[in-house]
Amino acid sequence: MTQEKEMSFLDHLEELRWHIIRSTIAIISAATLAFLGKSFLFDVIIFGPTKPDFFTYDMLCNASNLIGYDSFCDTVFDFEVQSRTMAGQFSAHIWTSITFGFILAFPYVLYEFWKFISPGLYTKERKHSRGFLFFSSVLFFIGVLFGYYVICPLSINFLGTYSVANQVHNDFDLNSYIGLVRASVLASGFIFELPIVIYFLTKIGLVTPAFLKKNRKYALVIVLILAAIITPPDVASQIIVAIPVIILYQFSILISKIVIKKQKRQS
């Protein structure tokens, strides 16, 4: 390992504090931009999946037409989003801006995290920092887009039109609606980091390709459970969510194999 100088525990804490401060400043800066763009943030992004002409509904409608169905072609939401507390809308504006700021600043936050742990790594490992930051950021953003364009509209389409009786009208609380969007987006973003997690677990010897293959059936069950949690309880939606996660798992096995091969060549 390479390290310019020995640091005490308190020095490490001080170093960590500054990484956290810089990351927080980046998030707040991005959140401020999001806060100022309130109309775009809410009218276009947050409430986009409630509009009949949303991209996902058009795509699913065209896909269903190819096989002779008209699913998602007449998507109309007969529900209202209400704020039932005095500070409800302002609070939603603040926290939504912070969430959006975190998403935008994610590559920089990851960069600060890497800067903190990199002094404890070997020189060869530190050379791969750019690749780590690039692929981690790309996977996170792909996951965020998947959550926004797939999980979120499927959930809103199911839950927004679900009814137990004609006498019950759907009026959703603002924080409840935004919580659904936030959970769908962030959960997908972090799930798509699976290959990166497997890479590091393989590097430190906690995971091997044989272990991943042996437990593939258990992983499949876990994936289906996760899909059931973050999607509406219909089989089609769960399959749509489960497929990319299963692909990520297979890709993680490949990454684990590559890491093991490199370690064998170096030993």
Side-chain angles (χ1 to χ4, degrees):
M1 297 185 184
T2 60
Q3 204 165 10
E4 295 180 359
K5 63 178 182 178
E6 292 293 330
M7 296 177 65
S8 67
F9 178 71
L10 292 178
D11 290 334
H12 281 293
L13 287 180
E14 178 66 15
E15 188 73 14
L16 176 62
R17 186 173 73 90
W18 280 107
H19 286 301
I20 293 175
I21 289 174
R22 286 192 290 268
S23 298
T24 303
I25 292 174
I27 294 173
I28 292 176
S29 299
T32 301
L33 294 177
F35 186 86
L36 296 176
K38 180 176 66 173
S39 297
F40 177 79
L41 179 62
F42 283 91
D43 295 339
V44 178
I45 297 180
I46 298 300
F47 291 108
T50 64
K51 299 175 182 177
D53 59 348
F54 189 65
F55 170 78
T56 302
Y57 304 132
D58 286 339
M59 181 183 66
L60 292 175
C61 175
N62 293 331
S64 66
N65 287 336
L66 294 177
I67 56 177
Y69 293 94
D70 59 352
S71 301
F72 297 96
C73 294
D74 296 316
T75 303
V76 178
F77 297 110
D78 185 26
F79 66 79
E80 295 181 0
V81 179
Q82 300 182 1
S83 177
R84 295 182 173 88
T85 58
M86 286 293 292
Q89 295 195 55
F90 181 72
S91 177
H93 191 186
I94 291 289
W95 286 108
T96 303
S97 299
I98 291 175
T99 302
F100 200 72
F102 172 78
I103 293 173
L104 290 179
F106 181 80
Y108 182 79
V109 173
L110 206 61
Y111 169 72
E112 289 292 338
F113 169 75
W114 182 262
K115 281 181 64 178
F116 177 70
I117 67 172
S118 61
L121 301 177
Y122 291 102
T123 304
K124 290 182 179 179
E125 295 172 336
R126 295 173 66 180
K127 290 181 180 179
H128 298 299
S129 61
R130 292 182 179 178
F132 163 74
L133 294 173
F134 174 77
F135 287 111
S136 295
S137 299
V138 168
L139 286 173
F140 178 77
F141 287 131
I142 291 176
V144 166
L145 292 175
F146 180 79
Y148 180 72
Y149 283 105
V150 178
I151 296 179
C152 194
L154 287 176
S155 300
I156 292 174
N157 182 73
F158 178 82
L159 298 174
T161 57
Y162 189 83
S163 176
V164 294
N166 292 330
Q167 289 86 350
V168 182
H169 183 265
N170 285 328
D171 288 329
F172 302 122
D173 184 73
L174 177 61
N175 288 323
S176 176
Y177 173 83
I178 293 177
L180 173 68
V181 177
R182 179 173 57 243
S184 301
V185 168
L186 291 181
S188 297
F190 288 122
I191 287 175
F192 271 64
E193 292 293 311
L194 178 63
I196 304 299
V197 174
I198 294 298
Y199 171 83
F200 282 104
L201 291 179
T202 304
K203 290 283 288 184
I204 62 179
L206 291 179
V207 166
T208 64
F211 174 83
L212 294 173
K213 289 181 179 179
K214 181 181 178 180
N215 294 279
R216 184 166 17 209
K217 57 184 178 181
Y218 303 111
L220 178 59
V221 173
I222 294 174
V223 166
L224 292 176
I225 292 174
L226 287 174
I229 292 174
I230 63 179
T231 59
D234 64 273
V235 177
S237 299
Q238 293 172 14
I239 292 175
I240 290 173
V241 174
I243 287 175
V245 180
I246 293 173
I247 294 173
L248 283 173
Y249 188 83
Q250 292 297 123
F251 184 59
S252 299
I253 295 176
L254 177 61
I255 290 177
S256 185
K257 286 182 179 180
I258 294 173
V259 172
I260 294 296
K261 287 182 180 179
K262 286 186 177 181
Q263 289 178 340
K264 289 182 178 179
R265 285 199 301 264
Q266 293 173 358
S267 59

